[in-house]
């Protein structure tokens, strides 16, 4: 078995098609790719893929092997980078990762945490999807990230920062955009835009919400990014459900509306690699603990009510 066998198998599994994997990912001919997959299955002695009319599906053995294949390649990449680093001059650095749009909310606070201790460090800021941030943490490419609590990780730990309510994203001229809140029964007949490719944790939260309120979402598209999901909302007239922070980055043709009733939430966590010994990381973890402690002491507020507004009645009563 060679590393290329693992790369070929992962590409086919992720694309769901031998043809697309060959043309889009591997730049090789489909017959050659098919032979490589057959060689891998013969080496293992089990069938990994089933060819269906709509494409490729993983067998039970294939699903298990996929996780281990990804981890094996990731460990090879980490080993190669570690070897290269031994030849590079040491320069202190610290890398922060954010979900797209979250840096608007958290970057100022993050820089404040680092201000006193990172004056001589080379700071790097990056924005990626949550699965990409988790992979970057596992490979040691970034030191800390604000992301979702991803499940397919090795060696990572997470600290809760806050729980974000989901909001409905609608075209600005949609009939429901006139409503102050969106009820589940209002959207069950509308076309739904999924963002599962970029946000598998969000997909799980949405599915659990739909099951809890007794609706079935009519999915028509699966967007590759959150911004792509908003663009599809604007162009198709459908809707999507996204964490409330995206209101900082809405395109002009869409609006956000809070959900009625028991609102689903999604955790925003600080993720890090447990093997990372950076002293700057320790500062961040201390700040995360302090922030979580403050969050737990604040009484839940309705969406759109600021902390100062919520605190005002309490201060008046104390006078």
């Amino acid at each position: 078995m060679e590393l290329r066998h693992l790369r070929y198998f992962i590409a086919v599994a992720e694309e769901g098609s031998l043809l697309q994997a060959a043309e889009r990912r591997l730049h090789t001919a489909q017959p050659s790719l098919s032979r490589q997959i057959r060689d891998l299955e013969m080496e293992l002695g089990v069938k990994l893929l089933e060819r269906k009319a709509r494409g490729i599906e993983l067998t039970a053995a294939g699903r298990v092997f996929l996780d281990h294949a990804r981890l094996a390649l990731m460990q090879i990449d980490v080993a190669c980078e570690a070897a290269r680093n031994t030849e590079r001059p040491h320069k202190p650095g610290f890398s922060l990762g954010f979900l797209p749009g979250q840096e608007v909310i958290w970057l100022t606070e993050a820089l404040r945490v680092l201000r006193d201790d990172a004056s001589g460090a080379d700071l790097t800021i990056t924005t990626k999807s949550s699965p990409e941030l988790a992979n970057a943490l596992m490979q040691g490419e970034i030191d800390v990230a604000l992301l979702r609590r991803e499940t397919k990780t090795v060696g990572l730990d997470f600290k809760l920062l806050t729980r974000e309510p989901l909001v409905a994203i609608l075209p600005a001229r949609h009939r429901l955009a006139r409503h102050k809140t969106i009820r589940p029964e209002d959207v069950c007949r509308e076309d739904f835009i999924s963002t599962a490719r970029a946000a598998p944790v969000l997909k799980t939260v949405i599915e659990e919400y739909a099951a809890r309120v007794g609706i079935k979402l009519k999915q028509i598209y699966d967007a590759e990014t959150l911004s792509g999901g908003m663009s599809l909302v604007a162009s198709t007239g459908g809707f999507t459900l996204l964490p409330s922070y995206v209101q900082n980055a809405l395109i002009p043709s869409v609006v956000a509306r809070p959900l009625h009733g028991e609102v689903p939430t999604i955790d925003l966590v600080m993720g890090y690699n447990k093997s990372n010994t950076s002293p700057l990381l320790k500062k961040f973890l201390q700040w995360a603990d302090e922030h979580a402690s403050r969050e737990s002491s604040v009484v839940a507020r309705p969406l759109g009510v600021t902390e100062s507004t919520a605190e005002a009645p309490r201060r008046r009563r104390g006078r």
Side-chain angles (χ1 to χ4, degrees):
M1 187 186 303
E2 301 180 15
L3 291 178
R4 60 187 170 86
H5 289 118
L6 301 185
R7 292 191 176 96
Y8 289 173
F9 169 69
I10 292 171
V12 173
E14 291 179 348
E15 293 293 335
S17 164
L18 281 163
L19 179 61
Q20 291 185 19
E23 293 181 348
R24 293 171 50 179
R25 294 273 292 272
L26 302 172
H27 308 292
T28 187
Q30 181 180 339
S32 174
L33 177 58
S34 297
R35 285 195 299 273
Q36 300 292 338
I37 297 298
R38 284 198 300 271
D39 290 345
L40 177 59
E41 289 178 327
M42 290 179 63
E43 175 76 19
L44 293 172
V46 295
K47 196 170 184 62
L48 300 174
L49 304 172
E50 290 182 341
R51 291 150 181 83
K52 303 283 188 179
R54 289 187 165 184
I56 295 296
E57 289 186 9
L58 293 174
T59 64
R63 288 192 293 272
V64 171
F65 187 70
L66 178 60
D67 289 339
H68 288 281
R70 284 172 171 156
L71 180 57
L73 288 183
M74 190 180 301
Q75 290 173 329
I76 290 293
D77 290 339
V78 171
C80 292
E81 186 64 20
R84 295 187 191 104
N85 286 339
T86 62
E87 300 295 324
R88 297 171 183 166
H90 177 70
K91 183 180 181 182
F94 195 78
S95 179
L96 300 169
F98 294 93
L99 292 169
Q102 288 284 8
E103 69 277 9
V104 176
I105 304 171
W106 297 94
L107 181 56
T108 300
E109 182 70 6
L111 293 179
R112 184 194 65 77
V113 174
L114 293 173
R115 187 176 298 128
D116 296 334
D117 297 272
S119 57
D122 183 10
L123 294 178
T124 303
I125 309 298
T126 185
T127 58
K128 297 176 181 287
S129 70
S130 185
E132 289 173 329
L133 288 172
N135 284 335
L137 286 170
M138 286 189 288
Q139 295 182 41
E141 296 174 358
I142 56 178
D143 292 285
V144 68
L146 272 63
L147 71 167
R148 304 304 174 194
R149 200 181 298 271
E150 300 294 331
T151 56
K152 295 182 178 180
T153 61
V154 177
L156 300 189
D157 207 350
F158 304 101
K159 287 182 177 289
L160 176 67
L161 288 177
T162 189
R163 289 189 168 92
E164 301 175 274
L166 300 194
V167 295
I169 307 297
L170 304 156
R173 296 189 177 183
H174 195 284
R175 60 182 180 83
L176 294 177
R178 300 191 301 268
H179 295 196
K180 291 183 178 180
T181 60
I182 304 299
R183 299 176 302 172
E185 57 267 31
D186 293 332
V187 296
C188 62
R189 295 183 297 273
E190 305 294 325
D191 291 336
F192 178 65
I193 313 295
S194 172
T195 56
R197 294 189 186 183
V201 176
L202 176 61
K203 176 187 178 183
T204 300
V205 170
I206 292 173
E207 289 175 345
E208 291 174 350
Y209 168 68
R212 188 171 69 249
V213 297
I215 64 172
K216 185 174 182 180
L217 296 173
K218 188 172 66 173
Q219 180 178 330
I220 58 169
Y221 290 106
D222 189 359
E224 300 219 356
T225 63
L226 298 186
S227 59
M230 286 190 282
S231 297
L232 281 171
V233 166
S235 60
T236 66
F239 83 103
T240 191
L241 297 174
L242 294 176
S244 59
Y245 84 92
V246 302
Q247 294 174 95
N248 297 307
L250 291 181
I251 59 178
S253 53
V254 303
V255 296
R257 294 291 180 264
L259 297 172
H260 183 77
E262 186 180 350
V263 178
T265 62
I266 186 169
D267 289 355
L268 179 70
V269 298
M270 177 180 290
Y272 63 98
N273 195 313
K274 289 185 284 188
S275 65
N276 190 334
T277 59
S278 167
L280 292 178
L281 174 59
K282 293 180 181 179
K283 287 278 294 183
F284 257 90
L285 299 183
Q286 180 183 353
W287 168 74
D289 289 336
E290 293 170 354
H291 181 85
S293 178
R294 291 195 301 270
E295 281 277 312
S296 64
S297 65
V298 175
V299 178
R301 302 185 292 271
L303 186 62
V305 177
T306 64
E307 183 173 358
S308 58
T309 304
E311 291 294 327
R314 194 180 305 166
R315 289 198 298 269
R316 285 197 295 270
R317 286 195 298 269
R319 289 178 182 174

